[in-house]
Amino acid sequence: MNKKVLILSGSPRKNGNSDILCDEFMRGAEESGNRVEKIRVAEKNIGYCKGCYYCKNSGGECVIKDDMAEVLQKMIDADVIVLASPVYFYSIAAQLKAVIDRTVARWLEVKDKEFYYIMTAADDVKESMETTLACFRGYADCVEGAKECGVIYGTGVYEKGEIKNTPAMQKAYLMGKSV
């Protein structure tokens, strides 16, 4: 069965290391017959949640008029969500965190998703990514019927493109292919 796969690339750098891994995951998932869309979050106009809860009394409509309504609908419609981010101070990039926070407007509609996580860091040990992974898992814990299906650690990469000749590239491709 082909699935709708939504990749949320949180890297602020186009063709940055985590963004490149997203492309490899996408290549594998498409080759397996899935419908895949990658959104570079940094290229969208998405403000941060103000915690006003306007959405609570307006049928899930957010008071902020930006690109998030479109992104959120795609999250609701997807079968698979890939969250990808470089590790910034042991956490996820602010651009992706804003997306996660803004799902509050319709968070009960984001359900029954398969989740994959992609992380990259200059540090060369996986343990440095555990807090970032906890952020991803924290979001998935709030999604009814969420299922974690895979984690990709791109370690020891800092400069743009350093990920290209690492085992993480093959892992991202194969993980995408397995969707």
Side-chain angles (χ1 to χ4, degrees), residues 7-11 18 22 41 75 81-88 90-100 114-120 129-143 146-148 150-154:
I7 301 172
L8 297 174
S9 177
S11 177
S18 60
C22 288
V41 175
M75 292 175 75
I81 297 176
V82 179
L83 299 175
S85 180
V87 175
Y88 287 169
Y90 302 109
S91 192
I92 62 176
Q95 294 87 343
L96 187 57
K97 180 65 167 110
V99 168
I100 289 170
E114 294 176 12
F115 280 95
Y116 293 86
Y117 310 123
I118 296 173
M119 302 170 293
T120 57
M129 299 175 155
E130 291 307 314
T131 306
T132 305
L133 184 56
C135 288
F136 287 152
R137 286 177 171 160
Y139 175 63
D141 283 347
C142 297
V143 172
K147 179 182 173 192
E148 182 176 313
V151 179
I152 298 167
Y153 296 89

Side-chain angles (χ1 to χ4, degrees), residues 5-11 13-27 30 35-41 43-44 70-71 74 82 84 118:
V5 179
L6 180 64
I7 301 172
L8 297 174
S9 177
S11 177
R13 296 191 300 180
K14 188 173 186 169
N15 299 316
N17 292 311
S18 60
D19 197 44
I20 290 169
L21 290 177
C22 288
D23 291 340
E24 279 300 289
F25 187 99
M26 181 167 60
R27 185 169 70 90
E30 286 175 338
R35 291 171 286 153
V36 184
E37 179 177 3
K38 180 178 93 167
I39 296 175
R40 286 196 23 75
V41 175
E43 293 174 357
K44 295 291 185 181
E70 172 193 350
V71 173
K74 289 177 183 197
V82 179
I118 296 173

Side-chain angles (χ1 to χ4, degrees), residues 13 74 76 79 149 151 166 177:
R13 296 191 300 180
K74 289 177 183 197
I76 291 166
D79 301 304
C149 295
V151 179
T166 70
K177 194 115 172 113

